[in-house]
Amino acid sequence: MMLKEIENRVKDPVRVKAPQSNPLVQALAQFDAATERLHLNPELNAMLRFPKRELTVHFPVRMDDGSVKMFTGYRVQHNVNRGPAKGGIRYDVNVSLDEVQALAMWMTWKCALMNIPFGGAKGGVIVDTRQLSSAELERLTRRYTMEIASIIGPESDIPAPDINTNAQVMAWIMDAYSIQCGRTVPAVVTGKPVSIGGSVGRTEATGRGVFIATREGCRVHGIPLKGARVIIQGFGNVGSVTASLLAQAGCKIVGLADVYGAIYNENGIDVNKALHAIKTSGRLEDVPNVEKLSGSDLLEQPSDILIPAAIAGQLTAANARYIQTKLIVEAANGPTTQEADAIFRERGIPVIPDILANAGGVVVSYFEWVQDLQHFFWSLEEVNTRLEQMMTQSFTAVQAICEEQQCDYRMGAYLIAVARVAEATRIRSLP
Ligand code: GLU
């Protein structure tokens, strides 16, 4: 039955013709829509749509077999008017300058929306980490760090984990940067291991923030968490923490997807079994008693809450009409295209946007940076309490502006964020 339905949808001409989304095109379209509504003058629009700085580096890495391979990486600082640039580094075969620019711009809005004193940045290296040994990954990370060392630093640009990077990668970056400086500089990155100046609660922070945003969204839209059917696309750090917290709150996790495919069980998937499968074989398909389907088909199964927690451009004009859910919460950056956003608006499906829903990570990164600069560390309770406060405050602020302006959550979040960055830009004025 399910397969037949899927077959019919595949033949839909709109789906076949839907354009591939470029994240930069999406980011700029979102920004333009907000500046229009804010009546921002065209000069400010022009100043904010360009990244401040973009660095492309091509660098060699010695492989385990003795050969040398060239890699390409980027670091883009979109805006620094409210403070140092901040944002993750991703390792992925699909990394491009356009994508890194879009992600840097989204970081600017995210930090402004959460009212933390950072601008936005992002970095990336074009690489399939599954093809590298741990030693190769370390050499690549150290070399990439050297290549971007001239523009990063605790006062200028602070990287953090993103797709396929983690606390260990941050430790290598911190070490490589510190060697260059001749002293230990913990505040150059966030998301480090706690043993070298990381913050407790940082690893779980993005997922915890997504959980808080989901909880608040459900409260506003009258969806009881207990028994709510949840689909999560992506089971990395963010997706897995979100799944665990939602399951603890009584939700039924009916569908999960990783890069290899998706699993589904309308009676609920045991999140601990999914975590175990990832730990042992690295694949969700090894979870027992589940139906297997493709990641894109999973998105269209019935749910109460749909959480894209993987990559950009997943909810598009091609599938937005087939999504059967009551609430979408963007744990990934840029998972919904403008076209899909319009369809969800028309269909009355609320979308809690990335710059709000997944901001928990950068909020606790901010806490980590503050702790590093003060050499004074907080308890987990303090970190989580402050995170809870900042997430709920921002959610309430966005909800209030949406009611006042009669707009969707993304527009509400952008109106607050872009206005803050524009004000900082205006008041600093041109040199
Ligand atoms: N990569 C995360 C994000 O997209 C975290 C960034 C940070 O902590 O600086 O928000």
Side-chain angles (χ1 to χ4, degrees), residues 33 43 137 160 241 264 305 362:
E43 287 171 354
L137 192 68
V241 172
Y264 182 82
I305 305 164
V362 76

Side-chain angles (χ1 to χ4, degrees), residues 86-88 107 110 122 158 160-162 190 202 333 358 361-362 365:
K86 184 84 192 81
M107 285 308 302
K110 199 184 296 184
K122 204 76 168 199
I158 306 116
D162 199 83
T190 56
R202 174 61 186 86
N333 289 312
N358 73 27
V362 76
S365 275

Side-chain angles (χ1 to χ4, degrees), residues 117-330:
F118 290 132
K122 204 76 168 199
V125 177
I126 305 171
V127 57
D128 181 355
T129 50
R130 290 174 298 183
Q131 309 293 327
L132 298 188
S133 69
S134 170
E136 287 168 340
L137 192 68
E138 176 173 354
R139 286 196 291 275
L140 175 137
T141 300
R142 288 180 179 279
R143 183 66 195 231
Y144 169 66
T145 306
M146 306 295 216
E147 301 289 345
I148 64 164
S150 56
I151 65 164
I152 63 170
E155 262 82 50
S156 52
D157 181 359
I158 306 116
D162 199 83
I163 292 175
N164 294 325
T165 55
N166 55 21
Q168 175 61 76
V169 172
M170 296 307 116
W172 290 327
I173 296 177
M174 184 273 223
D175 188 65
Y177 184 83
S178 297
I179 290 171
Q180 273 215 342
C181 294
R183 67 197 149 82
T184 295
V185 188
V188 67
V189 285
T190 56
K192 301 175 289 293
V194 173
S195 56
I196 54 168
S199 175
V200 288
R202 174 61 186 86
T203 307
E204 302 78 24
T206 313
R208 182 169 288 278
V210 173
F211 165 74
I212 296 168
T214 307
R215 189 195 66 207
E216 293 301 295
C218 284
R219 182 178 54 73
V220 172
H221 295 281
I223 304 166
L225 269 187
K226 210 160 175 49
R229 295 162 305 162
V230 181
I231 289 179
I232 305 180
Q233 183 206 35
F235 202 65
N237 173 34
V238 180
S240 60
V241 172
T242 305
S244 301
L245 291 174
L246 286 172
Q248 275 165 36
C251 293
K252 194 159 72 176
I253 312 297
V254 294
L256 290 173
D258 62 13
V259 280
Y260 302 104
I263 57 172
Y264 182 82
N265 183 339
E266 60 181 1
N267 298 317
I269 298 164
D270 184 335
V271 177
N272 287 327
K273 291 207 171 109
L275 289 169
H276 180 75
I278 292 294
K279 220 170 166 186
T280 47
S281 71
R283 284 168 190 249
L284 280 174
E285 63 190 21
D286 292 334
V287 175
N289 307 323
V290 293
E291 207 175 320
K292 294 180 183 68
L293 61 176
S294 76
S296 50
D297 289 339
L298 177 71
L299 295 171
E300 298 173 18
Q301 300 310 308
S303 64
D304 298 304
I305 305 164
L306 175 62
I307 306 184
I311 52 171
Q314 297 301 295
L315 302 173
T316 67
N319 60 9
R321 291 199 188 281
Y322 296 111
I323 302 296
Q324 310 174 58
T325 197
K326 295 181 186 146
L327 177 71
I328 297 170
V329 185
E330 295 185 331

Side-chain angles (χ1 to χ4, degrees), residues 400-419:
I401 199 161
C402 290
E403 269 167 31
E404 185 197 296
Q405 295 283 319
Q406 289 297 303
C407 62
D408 63 19
Y409 287 121
R410 190 181 318 279
M411 178 59 82
Y414 265 72
L415 292 178
I416 297 175
V418 174

Side-chain angles (χ1 to χ4, degrees), residues 16 27 34 45 61 98 103 105 168 198 214 221 265 268 322 341 347 368 391 400 402 407 409 416 419:
V16 176
N45 174 301
V61 177
D98 273 8
L103 290 160
M105 189 182 227
Q168 175 61 76
T214 307
H221 295 281
N265 183 339
Y322 296 111
D341 248 349
R347 294 184 58 204
E368 180 172 332
M391 287 298 302
C402 290
C407 62
Y409 287 121
I416 297 175

